[in-house]
Amino acid sequence: MLHFAKFKSVVEALSRVVGSNPQRVESAALNAPLLSQAELAEILRTAQALPSAWPHAGDVQHPQSGEFRSGTPGAGLDFEEARPYQSGDDIRRMDWRTTARTGKAYLKTFREEHQPQLHLVLDRSASMRFGTRTQLKVTQAARIAAMLAFVSARQHLAIGATLWQPHGTTLPSRGGEAGVLQLIQAAIAPCPPLAAVAAHAAPLAQLLHELDAQLPRGTRVVFISDLRQFSAADFPGLARLAARHQVSAYQVLDPAECALPDVGLRRFADMISGETGRLDAHNAIVRAAFNTEATALHQTQRALLVRAGIAHHLCMTNEIFLKKSA
């Protein structure tokens, strides 16, 4: 059982008190962790109260030993088959009963038990640094990541991650508390202001190729993203990844992205391209057109994932992700 005290030092290191100077307070707000110590404690308590979930389907090919069936034979506990003896085989694994019955030398083979792996793809790109209700999308993404990490640690999964952001980072797969600590530290780390984002995150096609090449077959891959960069052109890569791994996606959206609020005539900016334009949100026809297009877009994104064999879950920023895991 994990205890929050184990993670206290990580949160405190990111939550330095800077005093009451206005400039320093503003700087602290920009550089504060996305989740507080109290919020992480609540997520941990909820994760501990959840029943054990996430049964792992299929074979596991992660090289670290563990409790789950591997995709390759080896020195495990589960008997696989008896096969004819070959020169150089270890005679200590001889199947004497089959040898006596057939008159030919046979050897017992077993199935290795390996540790399954969870790999989170955490979207921290420019479009995730947006929110009109309660919190930013990237903050909700951090909540989801923390919850999944705590639940996975209870099931003894090795945990790794890819931070999908400019100059992205890959966290190596680690078991136990080390895996949870490194993931939560990365997930709640401050996001720089939009003005400081001079580069774009890697294209989805490149990311999918890297994941497929680097992850052992049977990895549980979870995307936490607004799916802004997902398109029909990415279907082959998504389908290939889903064919070799257990893939799911949590789509994080703000209510304003589903229904345009009446905020009058405003200047809007595309958070990825930087393009700006004016929009009269007070006009009911404009709002209706926006809402129709937004609904169609989100339905298309969901259909793309489902067609590729990827489970889709919708998470709004004004909802608390404390219900269940996929």
Side-chain angles (χ1 to χ4, degrees), residues 212 217-218 237-247 308-310:
D212 193 36
R217 192 180 184 92
L238 290 168
R240 183 170 55 253
L241 192 71
R244 302 179 182 181
H245 308 280
Q246 300 179 56
V247 187
I310 298 174

Side-chain angles (χ1 to χ4, degrees), residues 42-109:
E42 178 62 25
I43 294 172
L44 175 58
R45 284 192 292 269
T46 303
Q48 291 176 331
L50 291 174
S52 295
W54 284 31
H56 200 91
D59 291 338
V60 178
Q61 294 190 2
H62 186 247
Q64 188 169 344
S65 62
E67 302 175 353
F68 288 76
R69 177 183 172 90
S70 167
T72 57
L77 297 178
D78 294 335
F79 175 74
E80 180 69 12
E81 63 178 355
R83 63 165 177 81
Y85 174 83
Q86 297 176 0
S87 178
D89 285 340
D90 187 351
I91 62 172
R92 290 175 297 181
R93 294 164 55 192
M94 190 71 71
D95 186 346
W96 296 110
R97 290 187 178 181
T98 304
T99 299
R101 186 176 68 251
T102 63
K104 297 181 180 180
Y106 272 80
L107 201 74
K108 289 182 178 180
T109 62

